[in-house]
Amino acid sequence: MLKNYLKVAWKVLLRRKFFTFISLFGISFTLMVLVVATSLFDHAFGPQMPERETDRILFVNMMREQGKEGYTSSGPISYYFYDRNIRPLKTPEMISVNSMFFQVNSYINNRKLALDIKYTDRAFWDILDFHFLEGNAFTQQDVKNANRVAVINEHTRQQYFGDAPALGQDIVVDQVKYKVVGVVENVPVLRVQSYADVWVPVTLKSQDFNKPGLRGTYFATIKARQPGDIPKIKAEYAAMMQVLERQQPNKETRLFSFPDTFLESFARTLLGKGQEPGLGILYTILAGLAFLFMLLPTINLVNINISRIMERSSEIGVRKAFGATSKTIIGQFIIENIFLTLLGGLLGFVLSSAVLWLINDSGIIVYAALGLNLRVFATGLLLCLVFGLISGVYPAYKMSRLHAVEALKGGSK
């Protein structure tokens, strides 16, 4: 039966080519935009290299201080705060401290390179899953001794050394000479926790270590032993913050700092004013935007489907006269519409691939590697099915209610 329905759907599509073109264009364009948006979202927040284990990794990005009169001040944490309050936490498996990235200059063959440098400890390389193309990360001994060694990304390697060997060679960054010990695959700039062009030992900034205060230029990266430990880590961190708040000289100062996933951190900063979780609101806004974006093409497709189905009223009348139920009629038209939507979705994926390639090639997003992975594909397929069901149910229901005699006359109800 399903095979016959699909054959009928194909014949109907070929019969009215203009309607088919309009329908497929609307579906494919809508899905192209949604798939590109999904790919961008997945690229920024999904489990991508080097932050693959997103269900076990938390980030501490911000410390917010709020005074009695509403005065607030916020920024990344200090090494002092990390060393005295985060490092002693018992529940995490590993904790890393790493700096924000800073833009510095390097010169090669009288050509200036603007590079982003980041200071990290050894745990940074154990927590995150970088893809090493050459060499390895610097060792714990390198960090302890503040050795001038560096890991660089493949873009820096190409710019600085070309086709010549890079390992063991010197690179001068911000007038400081480092020995290259490893080369990693480029990390997209959207991964602000791990992105850089050059990574060097955090101990080279030891002048920051004893500066008192809660805010500075550092992030903390926390890895849980298992996903189930994430709530325990958050609870331990919250208890630590309560103790710290009570120890403040000004008893009316409130402190806000949270270990969050990157998406939670983004939602809290954007929608929760750095205090309240905003993830639920963010998902609601995204779902609402997707619904509104799909609404207009869905309405257009519903109207086209009604016109298309009305032309087949005689067919429906004959089928009803021979005993076809309304349920059977509805099922047939929904299957036909899903078939049409999946064809549009296939075109949408092709268009999406072309748009994603253009974005990657344009360099708009530094080191972007947008693509159609399994998560994006599954989301796009789900959107196709939802699109097909929404735009097909009402026309099918409308036609199923026609009386057989009325349908044979080509009437409508």
Side-chain angles (χ1 to χ4, degrees):
M1 185 65 73
L2 178 62
K3 186 177 178 181
N4 290 333
Y5 286 168
L6 295 179
K7 284 182 177 178
V8 171
W10 181 248
K11 294 295 183 185
V12 171
L13 293 180
L14 295 179
R15 190 168 60 192
R16 297 300 298 269
K17 293 183 175 60
F18 180 72
F19 278 176
T20 301
F21 170 77
I22 295 295
S23 301
L24 289 178
F25 177 79
I27 295 168
S28 59
F29 183 79
T30 303
L31 289 174
M32 177 197 73
V33 174
L34 292 173
V35 168
V36 170
T38 303
S39 180
L40 278 167
F41 184 87
D42 184 75
H43 187 68
F45 302 110
Q48 303 272 359
M49 185 280 296
E51 300 159 16
R52 296 188 191 281
E53 296 182 280
T54 50
D55 58 342
R56 293 176 59 193
I57 297 177
L58 297 171
F59 302 100
V60 180
N61 302 329
M62 201 69 67
M63 169 65 70
R64 183 184 181 92
E65 300 174 72
Q66 181 174 312
K68 178 185 177 183
E69 298 177 351
Y71 169 77
T72 60
S73 176
S74 61
I77 63 174
S78 66
Y79 193 95
Y80 182 88
F81 170 73
Y82 159 79
D83 197 42
R84 285 161 178 74
N85 298 285
I86 300 180
R87 191 198 295 273
L89 295 178
K90 303 296 183 186
T91 312
E93 180 184 14
M94 285 185 284
I95 306 174
S96 163
V97 61
N98 47 88
S99 75
M100 303 163 55
F101 62 82
F102 305 93
Q103 190 171 82
V104 293
N105 294 326
S106 180
Y107 295 87
I108 178 71
N109 298 329
N110 296 321
R111 182 165 51 95
K112 186 175 82 172
L113 296 178
L115 301 176
D116 292 323
I117 190 170
K118 189 179 185 72
Y119 296 83
T120 80
D121 57 9
R122 170 61 211 186
F124 178 81
W125 303 101
D126 296 327
I127 293 175
L128 300 175
D129 187 18
F130 283 85
H131 181 204
F132 273 85
L133 303 175
E134 300 176 48
N136 294 289
F138 38 78
T139 65
Q140 183 62 40
Q141 198 64 35
D142 288 326
V143 176
K144 182 179 179 182
N145 297 340
N147 291 337
R148 291 182 176 176
V149 292
V151 175
I152 61 176
N153 65 2
E154 57 182 313
H155 175 77
T156 304
R157 185 209 184 287
Q158 184 61 34
Q159 293 291 312
Y160 209 91
F161 300 104
D163 295 329
L167 291 185
Q169 303 300 311
D170 292 333
I171 180 172
V172 179
V173 178
D174 202 23
Q175 301 181 344
V176 178
K177 184 184 295 185
Y178 300 92
K179 178 173 291 186
V180 176
V181 296
V183 179
V184 296
E185 191 174 303
N186 294 329
V187 177
V189 70
L190 294 179
R191 297 281 170 169
V192 296
Q193 312 289 341
S194 45
Y195 159 80
D197 293 304
V198 180
W199 296 262
V200 299
V202 69
T203 41
L204 292 171
K205 284 180 71 70
S206 58
Q207 67 272 19
D208 290 349
F209 291 2
N210 293 317
K211 290 180 180 176
L214 300 176
R215 292 190 291 110
T217 59
Y218 291 89
F219 301 137
T221 305
I222 300 173
K223 185 174 185 179
R225 290 182 175 81
Q226 54 192 0
D229 286 347
I230 292 294
K232 299 175 187 174
I233 292 174
K234 292 186 175 184
E236 186 181 8
Y237 194 94
M240 177 272 291
M241 287 298 298
Q242 289 180 355
V243 172
L244 183 64
E245 192 173 86
R246 289 196 293 271
Q247 294 173 347
Q248 293 304 296
N250 186 346
K251 300 301 180 186
E252 294 177 339
T253 299
R254 297 193 63 193
L255 301 178
F256 301 93
S257 179
F258 305 90
D260 286 327
T261 64
F262 186 39
L263 180 58
E264 289 172 337
S265 175
F266 176 80
R268 189 188 296 278
T269 302
L270 185 67
L271 302 169
K273 298 181 179 179
Q275 301 175 16
E276 303 298 327
L279 198 56
I281 301 174
L282 179 65
Y283 279 134
T284 302
I285 292 174
L286 293 177
L289 290 175
F291 174 76
L292 290 175
F293 185 75
M294 291 176 66
L295 185 60
L296 183 59
T298 301
I299 292 174
N300 288 333
L301 190 57
V302 167
N303 290 328
I304 291 173
N305 283 339
I306 289 175
S307 300
R308 187 198 301 274
I309 293 175
M310 287 298 292
E311 293 177 344
R312 300 168 64 186
S313 58
S314 299
E315 172 196 334
I316 296 170
V318 170
R319 293 195 60 196
K320 283 204 163 189
F322 281 89
T325 63
S326 296
K327 186 177 178 181
T328 304
I329 300 293
I330 291 175
Q332 177 185 348
F333 285 118
I334 288 179
I335 289 173
E336 288 182 13
N337 202 60
I338 290 177
F339 176 68
L340 172 67
T341 309
L342 289 177
L343 283 179
L346 185 61
L347 291 173
F349 280 122
V350 173
L351 292 174
S352 302
S353 299
V355 172
L356 294 176
W357 180 83
L358 288 173
I359 293 175
N360 291 340
D361 192 57
S362 68
I364 294 175
I365 304 174
V366 178
Y367 306 143
L370 304 177
L372 298 176
N373 59 35
L374 187 59
R375 292 183 297 279
V376 177
F377 182 80
T379 303
L381 189 61
L382 178 64
L383 289 172
C384 283
L385 293 175
V386 172
F387 202 39
L389 282 173
I390 292 175
S391 60
V393 166
Y394 176 69
Y397 174 75
K398 181 178 175 69
M399 291 307 299
S400 70
R401 288 174 57 83
L402 282 179
H403 190 275
V405 175
E406 189 178 4
L408 286 170
K409 291 179 178 177
S412 62
K413 189 173 181 177

